[in-house]
Amino acid sequence: MKKLLLFLSFLLFNSFLSFAAEEPNPVLDTNGDEIRPGVEYYMGTTFRPGGGVTYGKGPGNEICPLAVAQAWLKRGLPVTFTPVNPEEGVVRVSTDLNIKFAEPPIIDFCSGSNVWKVHFNEALEQHFVLTDGVEGNSGCETTANWFKIEAVGVQGYKLVFCPTVCDSSSEAICKYVGIYHDDDGTRRLALGGQPYPVVFIKKNEDILKSVTST
């Protein structure tokens, strides 16, 4: 009986180790802390010139919905993350998640959500990251709203669009999120283009550093 109990305990222990090993690593902010769902972070970049993310005019002749653009030499607007598993308390790499601006645009002439989504512009033949997406409700109808964060180097990350929320999405697009340079000078987030390595700065920590450095 003791041998049986030891054998079963061994199996359970190995199963636990296997599960722990397969769980993706948590995404860390610039302080080395795990990123939490619903908490506001600035999305800084390790690439210069350029700053964080903000609202921008839609690509081409499109006005609405608003696009996600890179702010010029500014921290931009904070964002929040929502993992595909609503019970997950940590944002992890290689895992589907929603991204949304934590603040509405200053002039809201487009009635839509702050959630990011990918949209194909036929005139420019380019996939852009726009707003007015859907938060949650993972499935084949919402694949355009799901992004992933992947590690780059030691402390950096990149955004990736490669949704796995639909079982029949074998032909889904898998590309990194980069910068598209428009003729009007706007730097919009799009699939492909110039790489856009990012770091995540917790909003309250950003304010604290600004106060203590003065």
Side-chain angles (χ1 to χ4, degrees), residues 139-154:
C140 296
E141 289 107 16
T142 63
T143 54
N145 311 298
W146 298 96
F147 298 83
K148 293 179 181 178
I149 299 173
E150 301 288 357
V152 177
V154 180

Side-chain angles (χ1 to χ4, degrees), residues 37-181:
V39 178
E40 297 181 20
Y41 297 88
Y42 290 105
M43 190 179 296
T45 179
T46 58
F47 183 85
R48 294 293 183 270
V53 289
T54 186
Y55 292 98
K57 173 186 162 298
N61 295 323
E62 296 179 0
I63 298 177
C64 297
L66 294 174
V68 179
Q70 184 182 22
W72 280 100
L73 303 176
K74 294 181 179 180
R75 64 185 180 183
L77 297 175
V79 298
T80 61
F81 304 96
T82 303
V84 64
N85 179 5
E87 297 181 0
E88 179 65 73
V90 176
V91 175
R92 299 186 181 277
V93 299
S94 307
T95 304
D96 289 294
L97 52 79
N98 296 135
I99 307 174
K100 70 175 180 180
F101 284 116
E103 303 173 5
I106 297 177
I107 302 177
D108 191 5
F109 53 83
C110 293
S111 57
S113 74
N114 302 345
V115 181
W116 296 13
K117 69 176 182 181
V118 169
H119 172 73
F120 182 70
N121 184 291
E122 295 184 359
L124 298 175
E125 299 183 345
Q126 173 67 50
H127 288 87
F128 289 95
V129 181
L130 308 180
T131 56
D132 197 26
V134 177
E135 187 174 17
N137 298 319
S138 60
C140 296
E141 289 107 16
T142 63
T143 54
N145 311 298
W146 298 96
F147 298 83
K148 293 179 181 178
I149 299 173
E150 301 288 357
V152 177
V154 180
Q155 295 180 323
Y157 296 93
K158 66 178 178 180
L159 301 180
V160 174
F161 179 75
C162 189
T164 53
V165 295
C166 179
D167 294 335
S168 61
S169 59
S170 58
E171 298 181 0
I173 299 172
C174 283
K175 291 186 176 181
Y176 67 87
V177 176
I179 300 295
Y180 179 91
H181 297 263

